[in-house]
Amino acid sequence: AWIAIVCLLFLMPVSPKGIPGAADFDWNVVNYAPLTVGGALVFFGGWYLLSARRWFTGPVRETGTGEEPTSLERQLPTDTP
């Protein structure tokens, strides 16, 4: 929840003059982060919807099961210097 709040705060305008439609709007104080984040979401989301969802199957598991890494960890020495 905190990460979502901080992300929203960093996307807010830095000054009342940077809000489009304000009486004293000035392009010099506009926060361009929402534009770049929105552009990236549109670009990569569109790429995924148009192409990648047909061939991307997710990460490949290198181990056979989830139990294998824990059994290997049990074999490691537990004494620390």
Side-chain angles (χ1 to χ4, degrees):
W2 178 247
I3 293 171
I5 292 170
V6 169
C7 288
L8 288 174
L9 288 175
F10 284 140
L11 292 176
M12 300 296 284
V14 294
S15 163
K17 291 182 179 182
I19 301 172
D24 52 353
F25 176 73
D26 185 11
W27 280 103
N28 293 324
V29 292
V30 171
N31 184 3
Y32 290 98
L35 298 175
T36 56
V37 169
L41 287 174
V42 167
F43 179 75
F44 292 116
W47 171 71
Y48 175 78
L49 290 174
L50 294 174
S51 174
R53 72 177 169 156
R54 292 188 186 97
W55 53 265
F56 183 71
T57 58
V60 177
R61 290 188 67 104
E62 295 294 329
T63 60
T65 64
E67 292 298 318
E68 191 174 324
T70 56
S71 65
L72 291 172
E73 289 173 355
R74 282 189 218 119
Q75 297 173 7
L76 294 174
T78 57
D79 59 312
T80 57

